[in-house]
Amino acid sequence: MNASLDKALDAIRRRSPRRTVFFTGAGVSAESGIPTFRGAGGLWRNFRSEDLATPEAFARDPKTVWEWYEWRRELVRDAEPNAAHRAIAALPGAVVVTQNVDGLHARAGAHEVVELHGNILRVRCVREGGTFDAPSAFDVIPPRCACGSLLRPDVVWFGEMLPDEAVARAMVAIRGADLLVVIGTSGVVYPAAGMVSLHRGLSIEINPAATPLTTNCTYAVAAKAADVTPQLVDAIQEACHA
Ligand code: OAD
């Protein structure tokens, strides 16, 4: 039995948190078969995400950037939400603030999901700015809008601003939370990672590895998301109905 998990579950039972925010990163989707960015399996043809997820890379070589995205889009299309996504979605009133672009929290049925980095199955015209859902693979890479301009994934790249509305919603939710559960993020990509420090009060990290956010959290549970998130959610529900 994991001693930190026991302590975290005890704290939940004592505090009966009514407003829980889940702050998630790539690790929450690892058990759905989507590789994380950093760590084993995170590389694609020896590129790091910082080499490809940039406006400069897209301007220089849109075909290679799109090939990376088409590989990732296929993984996302084939993936299913795992036990962590499903447990989070089953907690009434929970807010999910995610850096993930895979849409798996919403597919699991989560009520409120704030996507800080956009969504990989949506695209945007680089000239007109219009966005639309485009989940299927494109016949021609890089794909083009009807206006003739390039389409790009509707995601946030390094060096770009996060969407104002998503940031505002995330800040309100995290500041107002009784419990912040930080799952599967390396905590090194800002400004998203900085949002964790907006929270005062009980916070629990779920991650098999230590991260720069570990010391900010009240409890750190060294485990996989799908293994312990359901237990955490059960404890929250039991505490709130006791
Ligand atoms: P990372 O790939 O940086 O980190 C994934 C984290 O998940 C690591 O800390 C792992 O230890 C942890 N992890 C792995 N398997 C896990 C599991 N089964 N359960 C729980 N945790 C697990 O992913 P992010 O922190 O999400 O941005 O990366 C942040 C941003 O960097 C991404 O949104 C993306 C990327 O480049 C952009 O593309 C702008």
Side-chain angles (χ1 to χ4, degrees):
M1 187 58 172
N2 186 317
S4 338
L5 175 60
D6 272 350
K7 287 185 185 158
L9 294 174
D10 272 354
I12 288 171
R13 290 181 192 116
R14 280 196 313 275
R15 309 256 195 115
S16 307
R18 299 204 169 264
R19 288 171 301 176
T20 300
V21 170
F22 294 90
F23 181 84
T24 67
V28 77
S29 298
E31 288 147 282
S32 294
I34 301 177
T36 58
F37 295 98
R38 295 165 189 84
L43 291 181
W44 174 81
R45 294 189 200 164
N46 293 328
F47 289 103
R48 298 172 313 141
S49 62
E50 289 87 341
D51 299 330
L52 293 167
T54 71
E56 293 77 19
F58 189 69
R60 200 172 46 241
D61 187 356
K63 186 163 179 285
T64 300
V65 171
W66 259 111
E67 282 169 357
W68 181 54
Y69 275 100
E70 283 295 67
W71 171 70
R72 292 176 56 206
R73 282 158 49 89
E74 187 176 356
L75 290 171
V76 166
R77 277 194 303 271
D78 291 347
E80 293 296 333
N82 63 50
H85 298 109
R86 290 195 299 271
I88 292 167
L91 184 64
V95 178
V96 181
V97 176
T98 189
Q99 299 164 86
N100 296 347
V101 294
D102 57 32
L104 288 182
H105 286 295
R107 271 175 53 197
H111 312 281
E112 185 172 354
V113 183
V114 181
E115 293 181 322
L116 293 174
H117 289 166
N119 192 300
I120 200 171
L121 298 181
R122 205 168 52 223
V123 296
R124 184 162 90 226
C125 171
V126 297
R127 189 164 66 90
E128 299 168 325
T131 62
F132 57 93
D133 292 336
S136 305
F138 287 102
D139 294 334
V140 178
I141 295 295
R144 289 186 179 272
C145 177
C147 79
S149 301
L150 284 174
L151 290 170
R152 58 167 280 179
D154 191 26
V155 298
V156 175
W157 283 333
F158 288 97
E160 295 183 328
M161 304 284 282
L162 272 54
D164 287 342
E165 196 236 337
V167 170
R169 282 171 62 208
M171 287 171 68
V172 168
I174 291 172
R175 284 203 173 107
D178 307 315
L179 167 63
L180 180 66
V181 187
V182 180
I183 308 180
T185 178
S186 58
V188 296
V189 174
Y190 281 75
M195 292 197 170
V196 169
S197 64
L198 297 174
H199 178 69
R200 299 274 170 262
L202 181 61
S203 54
I204 299 168
E205 181 184 55
I206 301 174
N207 194 318
T211 75
L213 303 177
T214 303
T215 50
N216 291 0
C217 291
T218 325
Y219 299 100
V221 181
K224 291 183 176 179
D227 290 342
V228 297
T229 309
Q231 293 178 65
L232 233 65
V233 169
D234 283 350
I236 298 168
Q237 290 197 289
E238 280 162 25
C240 292
H241 289 116

